[in-house]
Amino acid sequence: PSSVVPGNPSWHQTMLRITDPAASLAFYRDKMGMTLMNKLQFPEYGFDLYFLSSHPEPYSHAVGSDDANRYLWSYPHPTLELTHNYNSPPSHPGNGDGDGFGHIAFHVDDVYATTEELLDNDVDFKKKPDEGNMKGLAFAYDPDKYWVEIVKRSPGHSLKLPKNLSQTMLRIKDPEKSIPFYESLGLTVLLSKHFPQWNFSLYFLGCLDPSENFPSDGTDEEKSNFVNSRHDPVLELTHNHGTEGDASFEYKNGNEAGGQGFG
């Protein structure tokens, strides 16, 4: 579209600050099935970066190599960037008063079986599938207490990985401003859901690959099946109704002193 900024932009990463790389890698790589694509070290500045993805094929690049670095920066799918600041205080996981960041999510075939698997591997949960009002989905805690949603895939999907990174959720003040901003960066609104009885709306955006057959004229059910069957994650924008009319309101972005977590 003509509204997209020059340079062929695509969504490349979601960044979370972590306090213990070994614990975070044990969670995201070993328990959630992600691939460590590369590690960049900056000891002179006191931090390291770890880039992971739900890589669909066996990964052949040696972490830390020039090949891995070149591959990372040409990789056409979103990654999870874990930032470790040496001797840093505990990360702020979001979901506090006024926080913009909510959670990341993974798609799986069976939420109940995955929950049991993670419980057997000493993962703590905020919500198990049969708890609360929303049955069938779960929220695990990662080692820094970030919320990690576990969501069921749509029937008939062609995904091969047991788990795939599927979502980053951000709260927004005004969808009439946020949605055009992300569209200008190459994302497309794939699905919207409105819950006037609870005063919020959800917008799901993604960078579409030319090979994907998005049902742009389809029903909400068809669009939902598409979102829940794709390999790449979506950006979930949560709008709590009424914030757009409050001139003094703004969400914390995760980079404030004393509240750093999502970057």
Side-chain angles (χ1 to χ4, degrees):
S2 58
S3 60
V4 176
V5 299
N8 190 29
S10 64
W11 177 18
H12 188 259
Q13 62 195 232
T14 290
M15 189 277 264
L16 302 178
R17 296 177 177 89
I18 60 171
T19 53
D20 183 346
S24 293
L25 288 175
F27 179 81
Y28 286 107
R29 181 189 60 200
D30 304 337
K31 297 174 183 177
M32 302 309 295
M34 301 190 79
T35 296
L36 177 61
M37 298 179 67
N38 204 15
K39 175 183 178 181
L40 302 178
Q41 298 176 280
F42 301 93
E44 66 274 28
Y45 302 118
F47 71 93
D48 297 332
L49 306 177
Y50 301 80
F51 292 88
L52 299 97
S53 72
S54 296
H55 200 271
E57 306 293 340
Y59 190 71
S60 60
H61 304 286
V63 172
S65 68
D66 289 342
D67 283 345
N69 200 47
R70 283 191 292 268
Y71 183 80
L72 171 66
W73 297 114
S74 61
Y75 187 61
H77 308 285
T79 63
L80 180 65
E81 176 190 355
L82 303 179
T83 296
H84 175 229
N85 294 298
Y86 307 166
N87 303 313
S88 62
S91 299
H92 178 64
N95 294 301
D97 186 36
D99 283 332
F101 175 69
H103 61 262
I104 61 173
F106 285 79
H107 270 135
V108 300
D109 288 341
D110 188 327
V111 174
Y112 292 85
T114 300
T115 298
E116 291 303 316
E117 172 197 322
L118 294 174
L119 286 169
D120 289 344
N121 283 279
D122 301 318
V123 173
D124 293 328
F125 274 75
K126 174 179 174 57
K127 178 196 175 303
K128 297 173 186 175
D130 279 337
E131 296 175 342
N133 293 324
M134 296 183 293
K135 307 298 183 185
L137 59 83
F139 281 90
Y141 287 120
D142 91 340
D144 289 283
K145 299 301 180 182
Y146 292 110
W147 295 9
V148 179
E149 187 178 10
I150 311 298
V151 185
K152 182 177 175 60
R153 293 165 172 161
S154 293
H157 70 82
S158 60
L159 300 170
K160 305 301 183 185
L161 295 175
K163 308 177 186 76
N164 66 290
L165 182 67
S166 62
Q167 187 182 106
T168 294
M169 189 277 263
L170 301 177
R171 298 176 183 91
I172 59 171
K173 177 178 178 176
D174 187 346
E176 292 189 4
K177 295 180 179 178
S178 293
I179 290 175
F181 172 78
Y182 286 107
E183 287 178 329
S184 75
L185 295 176
L187 280 81
T188 297
V189 177
L190 306 178
L191 175 69
S192 60
K193 296 182 178 180
H194 305 282
F195 304 93
Q197 68 273 36
W198 295 310
N199 293 313
F200 75 94
S201 297
L202 305 176
Y203 302 88
F204 298 87
L205 294 81
C207 288
L208 288 172
D209 186 272
S211 66
E212 292 186 283
N213 186 22
F214 172 56
S216 57
D217 296 323
T219 64
D220 284 349
E221 181 179 4
E222 290 170 332
K223 292 177 180 178
S224 182
N225 285 337
F226 174 84
V227 167
N228 292 320
S229 298
R230 67 195 307 257
H231 172 267
D232 280 359
V234 296
L235 180 64
E236 177 188 355
L237 302 180
T238 297
H239 173 227
N240 292 303
H241 299 170
T243 54
E244 70 281 6
D246 184 348
S248 64
F249 179 82
E250 61 180 30
Y251 282 112
K252 299 172 185 175
N253 62 30
N255 294 296
E256 297 86 357
Q260 293 182 328
F262 169 80

